[in-house]
Amino acid sequence: MVRMIMHGCNGKMGQVITKLCQEDDKIEIVAGVDPYAGIDNKYPVFQSIQECEVEADVIVDFASAQAVDALLEYCSARKIPLVLCTTGLSEEQNAKVEETARQTAVLKSANMSLGINMMMDLLQRMAKILAPAGFDMEIVEKHHNQKVDAPSGTALALADALNGAFDNAYQYQYDRTKERKKREKYEIGIQAVRGGSIVGEHEVIFAGPDEVIEIKHTAYSKAVFGKGAVEAAKFLAGKSAGKYDMKDVVAEQI
């Protein structure tokens, strides 16, 4: 049985994962961390990670970027593996993630969905064929009106997958309203839409001469991310120090 700490347990994703773990006999949440105490969970909840003294095999994080620094310090000091799902991290925080991975196992993914991670692999293979044939590559992502970061971490990960096919030769264009000029050949446009209660939608467009190919992923519920996070926690428990991502989880299950 994997013992897990849920960091951000009283948030929407924290509660989704709490319910998933209650139905899974291979993992249990032994403690939660959240400054909001208005939800009655079946495990003890601490207002900060520093207060938590409960023994655990892994921590799953779905909190906020502001809470990441303390979490990384905690995991590094205690050598507890971390599934880091919070997006919108600064360059300094991403550097700290790398430092932490030298002390303990860290799995960082912009999106925990199995479908998105398979989509990244497909996009990279498509880009190698289509871009040299004159296809432009564009990304449109849509999320609910409460999402803070834009573009989404997943949109950036999709762009990185496309760009990785060409040794990162492409530049990212986030807002074309700032400059009135024709589209550059070596650019990937990324557009963000925020509205309503959209869980998550990512569309990659390959626009070529006389034809267009669209690859799209739609999440209808946060459960798809929660299921991926739970599987990632099972995978990471007991792993040695190092950097992991959802591709490693998927590879182990194949």
Side-chain angles (χ1 to χ4, degrees):
M1 176 76 75
V2 174
R3 300 168 299 169
M4 184 184 104
I5 294 173
M6 184 67 232
H7 189 251
C9 64
N10 289 339
K12 292 181 180 178
M13 281 307 307
Q15 286 300 292
V16 168
I17 293 173
T18 294
K19 292 177 182 177
L20 289 170
C21 289
Q22 289 173 350
E23 301 168 356
D24 193 325
D25 59 5
K26 295 182 180 179
I27 190 168
E28 67 171 333
I29 299 178
V30 294
V33 177
D34 204 295
Y36 175 66
I39 297 177
D40 184 21
N41 296 291
K42 294 183 179 179
Y43 47 80
V45 177
F46 302 89
Q47 287 198 320
S48 69
I49 189 66
Q50 295 93 337
E51 298 175 11
C52 182
E53 298 288 341
V54 179
E55 293 293 325
D57 303 308
V58 63
I59 297 176
V60 172
D61 164 69
F62 261 108
S64 67
Q66 290 85 351
V68 165
D69 291 315
L71 175 63
L72 292 174
E73 291 172 5
Y74 181 92
C75 291
S76 181
R78 295 174 180 251
K79 303 295 188 294
I80 300 178
L82 169 65
V83 178
L84 182 61
C85 304
T86 295
T87 60
L89 303 185
S90 67
E91 290 184 10
E92 291 78 9
Q93 287 177 315
N94 282 319
K96 199 164 187 176
V97 170
E98 299 295 331
E99 291 178 16
T100 303
R102 289 193 281 271
Q103 303 299 322
T104 189
V106 178
L107 189 150
K108 182 176 181 292
S109 180
N111 190 301
M112 304 304 294
S113 159
L114 173 63
I116 281 288
N117 284 276
M118 295 188 70
M119 181 178 174
M120 289 181 191
D121 179 66
L122 173 62
L123 290 175
Q124 194 163 76
R125 287 184 282 153
M126 292 179 69
K128 290 179 180 179
I129 297 172
L130 296 176
F135 282 73
D136 297 319
M137 299 182 291
E138 296 281 312
I139 297 171
V140 179
E141 58 98 343
K142 303 175 185 178
H143 283 88
H144 52 85
N145 58 21
Q146 300 301 303
K147 187 170 179 62
V148 176
D149 54 318
S152 69
T154 299
L156 292 173
L158 293 173
D160 288 344
L162 295 170
N163 211 357
F166 305 99
D167 296 323
N168 300 318
Y170 281 73
Q171 299 295 315
Y172 299 160
Q173 179 59 259
Y174 303 111
D175 183 3
R176 291 200 173 89
T177 64
K178 294 181 179 179
E179 296 181 312
R180 294 182 61 83
K181 66 176 185 177
K182 137 182 207 304
R183 185 189 193 281
E184 299 290 344
K185 179 179 179 181
Y186 293 103
E187 77 177 35
I188 299 173
I190 307 175
Q191 306 302 320
V193 176
R194 296 289 175 268
S197 58
I198 301 171
V199 175
E201 184 178 300
H202 294 83
E203 181 178 18
V204 178
I205 303 166
F206 293 93
D210 304 314
E211 60 180 330
V212 175
I213 301 170
E214 299 175 348
I215 305 297
K216 181 178 177 181
H217 178 276
T218 303
Y220 293 102
S221 133
K222 290 181 179 293
V224 298
F225 311 123
K227 289 175 183 176
V230 170
E231 291 306 312
K234 295 177 191 175
F235 163 83
L236 204 63
K239 289 287 191 297
S240 57
K243 187 84 176 293
Y244 302 85
D245 60 29
M246 281 300 290
K247 291 181 182 178
D248 298 307
V249 180
V250 172
E252 187 172 87
Q253 292 182 342
I254 294 177

